[in-house]
Amino acid sequence: MIEVENLTKTYGERTAVDHVSFAVNKGEILGFLGPNGAGKTTTMRILTGFMPATSGTARVAGFDVAKESMDVRRHIGYLPETPPLYPDMTIESYLDFVARIKNVPAADRARSVTDAMRKTNLEDRRSELIKRLSRGYKQRVGIAQALVHDPDVIILDEPTVGLDPKQIIEVRNLIKGLAGSHTIILSTHILPEVSMTCDRVVIINKGKIAAVDTPQNLTSQLKSGQKIRLEVQAPEAAIRGTLTQVPGVSQVHVEALPSSDRSIVTIETAQGADIRSEIAAKIIASGWRLFELRGVSLSLEDIFLELTTDDASHAQQPVN
């Protein structure tokens, strides 16, 4: 549904988007994740025809963004970071206005407006002035205007910024409910939004793609090694000295529990090494009491920090 190849945008000597390539399948929710200033919004604006690329190509629903901009816009619904709302209009009149702008046929307009309100749970507020709505409901209206013409693709730029936790959950569930019938790109720097909402994630840093995959595959493929967490009753120095000698152990961190003779031990291992059984055997052979032993999964936040904090090493090929 969306194909982006070597997309580049420069402003003088500054490169905002640097040879970005990715694809989005029909009905998929793709998370476009990166720190502020990474190039997310610039990419979204190019895809929606808001601004031209310096080089590279992008196609939406089979249409070239640069050469067939009007066709692309008919197939896209766009919610920018600040929703384009008219506060003195009611929800229904505003959506009718947007439907007219987007050339929804007159015979279909009322149904399209009603459908958009139904999908965003706004039907019971249709006559309310937009300026009287909460931030969360204004965001719903913004999403409704993006889908009032029933587009194939919906692009949402930071849709939960500024919302309270309850509103975030409501908007998140709304977005998940749109998947399947619409292809969605969700641009965000908020990690839970990606892990809880998206089928796949593109991580972008300083204009370059750092990784493309599912959150689960990123966790398994990009971690440098396994972490093992222990709770054990033994002297700190003895734990550190003994476990460091186990083959495959790269680092041992020991933290004493307050008012206790137990310690929390975090062991970092070499990539691909699963040495939990060896660790357990070593502790038992030493006569220590073992209260807990488990592997620690690398979170999406860990991966994000790993890919976006080391400037020199993280411009890499996407993971497939």
Side-chain angles (χ1 to χ4, degrees):
M1 184 58 68
I2 301 174
E3 299 172 288
V4 177
E5 186 172 354
N6 291 321
L7 202 66
T8 300
K9 180 65 178 181
T10 59
Y11 299 94
E13 296 182 356
R14 186 174 74 87
T15 301
V17 177
D18 191 355
H19 294 87
V20 164
S21 298
F22 63 90
V24 191
N25 301 318
K26 185 175 182 179
E28 184 178 33
I29 303 180
L30 180 79
F32 206 62
L33 176 66
N36 290 328
K40 302 187 303 296
T41 295
T42 300
T43 303
M44 300 300 98
R45 288 177 175 176
I46 293 172
L47 288 178
T48 56
F50 186 84
M51 65 170 60
T54 303
S55 62
T57 60
R59 300 182 69 83
V60 176
F63 298 101
D64 187 286
V65 169
K67 299 176 182 177
E68 301 166 293
S69 176
M70 293 308 297
D71 291 306
V72 167
R73 295 180 195 199
R74 293 187 187 100
H75 287 81
I76 281 183
Y78 179 41
L79 174 66
E81 187 172 349
T82 302
L85 306 178
Y86 291 98
D88 290 322
M89 299 180 75
T90 66
I91 293 174
E92 186 171 25
S93 62
Y94 168 72
L95 293 177
D96 179 76
F97 168 70
V98 173
R100 291 170 185 267
I101 290 177
K102 295 185 176 182
N103 293 319
V104 175
D108 299 331
R109 202 173 294 141
R111 176 185 55 79
S112 297
V113 169
T114 298
D115 285 348
M117 289 190 293
R118 176 181 54 79
K119 289 178 180 178
T120 52
N121 296 319
L122 290 169
E123 287 181 286
D124 60 342
R125 313 290 287 269
R126 63 172 68 223
S127 299
E128 193 162 342
L129 291 176
I130 292 173
K131 66 183 178 183
R132 294 178 180 168
L133 299 175
S134 67
R135 178 71 181 268
Y137 270 95
K138 287 178 181 177
Q139 204 74 342
R140 287 174 181 267
V141 177
I143 295 173
Q145 66 80 29
L147 56 86
V148 72
H149 58 306
D150 195 28
D152 296 313
V153 175
I154 300 174
I155 295 178
L156 307 173
D157 192 0
E158 303 281 4
T160 60
V161 167
L163 303 185
D164 65 37
K166 183 175 182 293
Q167 293 169 338
I168 289 173
I169 292 172
E170 291 173 349
V171 171
R172 181 190 301 150
N173 290 335
L174 191 163
I175 293 168
K176 291 171 70 174
L178 296 174
S181 55
H182 304 275
T183 301
I184 300 172
I185 295 183
L186 171 62
S187 171
T188 184
H189 68 278
I190 302 174
L191 294 161
E193 295 309 303
V194 172
S195 58
M196 296 182 184
T197 308
C198 302
D199 303 310
R200 285 192 305 132
V201 56
V202 172
I203 297 180
I204 185 171
N205 184 43
K206 295 193 174 181
K208 292 180 178 289
I209 295 291
V212 182
D213 212 323
T214 65
Q216 296 79 10
N217 285 346
L218 285 172
T219 298
S220 62
Q221 294 184 30
L222 295 180
K223 62 183 180 181
S224 58
Q226 186 184 34
K227 287 186 179 181
I228 299 171
R229 184 182 186 275
L230 310 172
E231 183 177 337
V232 63
Q233 188 178 49
E236 288 185 49
I239 296 172
R240 187 178 291 105
T242 299
L243 297 184
T244 301
Q245 297 173 14
V246 176
V249 170
S250 56
Q251 290 189 57
V252 176
H253 305 276
V254 183
E255 180 182 352
L257 289 173
S259 304
S260 171
D261 56 355
R262 300 181 191 178
S263 295
I264 297 297
V265 183
T266 302
I267 300 170
E268 296 186 16
T269 71
Q271 188 168 8
D274 187 352
I275 56 173
R276 287 174 292 179
S277 60
E278 289 86 345
I279 294 293
K282 197 73 172 178
I283 290 172
I284 293 170
S286 300
W288 301 330
R289 297 182 66 188
L290 178 63
F291 294 89
E292 180 184 34
L293 187 154
R294 61 181 173 86
V296 180
S297 297
L298 194 65
S299 69
L300 184 61
E301 182 174 2
D302 295 327
I303 294 167
F304 178 75
L305 292 173
E306 183 176 324
L307 292 173
T308 59
T309 54
D310 184 351
D311 296 342
S313 63
H314 294 144
Q316 56 175 272
Q317 294 297 318
V319 178
N320 295 312

